[in-house]
Amino acid sequence: MRNAFLIFILAFSTTLTFGQKIKATQTETTKPFVLGIIDEIQSKELSEKRVLNIYLPEGYNPNDTIKYPVIYLLDGSADEDFVHIVGLVQFNSFEWINQVPKSIVVGIATVDRRRDYTFPTTIQEDKKTYPTTGHSDKFISFIEKELQPYIETKYKTNKDKTIIGQSLGGLFATEVLLKKPTLFNKYIIISPSLWWDNGSLLNLNSNLLSENFNQQTDIYIGVGKEGLTPTVIPRVMEVDANVLTEKIKDAKNKNVKVFFDYLPQENHATIMHQAVSNSFRHLYPITTPK
């Protein structure tokens, strides 16, 4: 009986020791999961340092000759839209799907959305409620004069540039589209807050709408079941988004293509992921794998 007890103790000790060794081995092999690169750029236009989250596609090699499209993502912090948009880009660029070309994603981390994404408003109540608003002109200059040159100098990029913006980010992307349309050739505009300044952006005359505009530009406008806007004069976001679409279509410029996507099962909080996924099907032609 004593011998049996000793055998049991020995076996238990061996198992415990073996288990500890496995645990120690597992701990020793743990390492971080790296999704991208964090860059910082000192902006003279904004008088501050800005954080950029950069995703480089699989196979990216700074020493080869391959150049990549760039997708600029507003609200691109790690705790905002960067991670799940990068997931969509990676998934859609798998060779067995081949919906989207392998692309660099530049997530622009947020500092002050209301300051950076809005132009000056004539609505006094909004000026009081959001005192930092009205400086989108500086953010546009930051993108044009600092951000894009920085990315194009440091990384292997081609001429294909996309911007993605939602809500106030969608308002900003629309402002760029109408005021500086050549900054990007693809626009993904989701649930744009076109109610800002009582919809004044919808009345803007734009070079984009002229017969002489010759840059091939593809635009996706997605909107969910948004409801009334937070304005004194009631507006409907779905209607405003549709008005923007029709304004672009009415120009009948063959170089500018716009697609309107209504997603009634989504709302302002849930639309982002599904709309971006849908936009890829419309903005990127299917290519046949080699």
Side-chain angles (χ1 to χ4, degrees):
M1 183 69 179
R2 183 182 177 187
N3 291 339
F5 179 75
L6 290 174
I7 292 171
F8 172 79
I9 293 297
L10 180 61
F12 179 80
S13 300
T14 303
T15 301
L16 182 61
T17 302
F18 184 69
Q20 289 175 335
K21 287 182 178 179
I22 292 177
K23 185 176 181 181
T25 301
Q26 289 175 338
T27 302
E28 289 170 4
T29 58
T30 299
K31 55 185 179 180
F33 176 80
V34 180
L35 182 63
I37 300 167
I38 299 175
D39 281 359
E40 290 185 342
I41 178 172
Q42 183 64 44
S43 170
K44 292 182 180 179
E45 297 294 329
L46 301 174
S47 300
E48 64 188 11
K49 185 178 290 184
R50 298 302 294 247
V51 174
L52 308 173
N53 294 308
I54 313 290
Y55 166 78
L56 301 175
E58 183 182 2
Y60 179 92
N61 183 345
N63 298 317
D64 64 26
T65 59
I66 301 174
K67 296 186 177 182
Y68 298 88
V70 183
I71 298 173
Y72 292 86
L73 174 65
L74 303 174
D75 298 316
S77 298
D79 60 353
E80 293 177 304
D81 295 323
F82 181 72
V83 174
H84 70 94
I85 297 304
V86 164
L88 284 172
V89 173
Q90 181 199 43
F91 176 80
N92 282 282
S93 64
F94 283 144
E95 62 180 11
W96 55 89
I97 297 174
N98 208 30
Q99 177 71 61
V100 175
K102 289 185 176 182
S103 303
I104 298 169
V105 180
V106 177
I108 309 169
T110 299
V111 173
D112 183 341
R113 300 176 80 249
R114 293 189 177 96
R115 179 197 70 184
D116 291 340
Y117 298 167
T118 64
F119 51 88
T121 180
T122 58
I123 309 301
Q124 295 301 318
E125 187 64 30
D126 287 343
K127 290 181 181 180
K128 294 178 182 178
T129 306
Y130 313 115
T132 65
T133 56
H135 298 285
S136 59
D137 57 334
K138 293 183 179 180
F139 200 64
I140 293 173
S141 293
F142 161 68
I143 290 176
E144 180 180 16
K145 299 176 182 179
E146 297 176 331
L147 178 58
Q148 287 186 347
Y150 172 82
I151 296 298
E152 291 163 8
T153 299
K154 184 171 182 179
Y155 299 100
K156 299 182 70 64
T157 68
N158 61 28
K159 295 182 179 180
D160 192 357
K161 293 178 285 190
T162 300
I163 185 171
I164 300 177
Q166 192 256 345
S167 191
L168 285 178
L171 173 72
F172 177 80
T174 303
E175 184 182 2
V176 175
L177 174 68
L178 297 178
K179 294 181 179 180
K180 292 272 189 175
T182 58
L183 279 186
F184 302 92
N185 61 293
K186 289 185 175 66
Y187 289 79
I188 300 175
I189 299 170
I190 302 168
S191 299
S193 298
L194 298 172
W195 53 265
W196 182 254
D197 192 35
N198 198 29
S200 64
L201 198 59
L202 293 171
N203 300 320
L204 185 71
N205 290 323
S206 171
N207 184 43
L208 175 82
L209 308 177
S210 71
E211 294 181 359
N212 298 325
F213 186 77
N214 57 15
Q215 176 187 272
Q216 183 62 47
T217 303
D218 299 312
I219 306 156
Y220 169 93
I221 300 173
V223 65
K225 197 170 184 179
E226 312 278 349
L228 295 177
T229 60
T231 53
V232 175
I233 301 175
R235 304 180 69 94
V236 180
M237 291 186 73
E238 297 95 308
V239 173
D240 282 348
N242 193 56
V243 168
L244 173 63
T245 305
E246 293 304 314
K247 180 183 180 76
I248 297 170
K249 284 183 177 179
D250 287 346
K252 297 180 180 179
N253 187 321
K254 294 181 180 180
N255 294 314
V256 180
K257 296 180 180 178
V258 60
F259 178 83
F260 179 77
D261 192 11
Y262 178 49
L263 292 77
Q265 295 182 333
E266 307 295 342
N267 57 42
H268 199 70
T270 66
I271 189 174
M272 183 69 170
H273 192 274
Q274 187 59 57
V276 172
S277 181
N278 288 0
S279 74
F280 288 161
R281 297 188 182 97
H282 295 287
L283 299 185
Y284 295 93
I286 289 289
T287 55
T288 304
K290 295 180 181 179

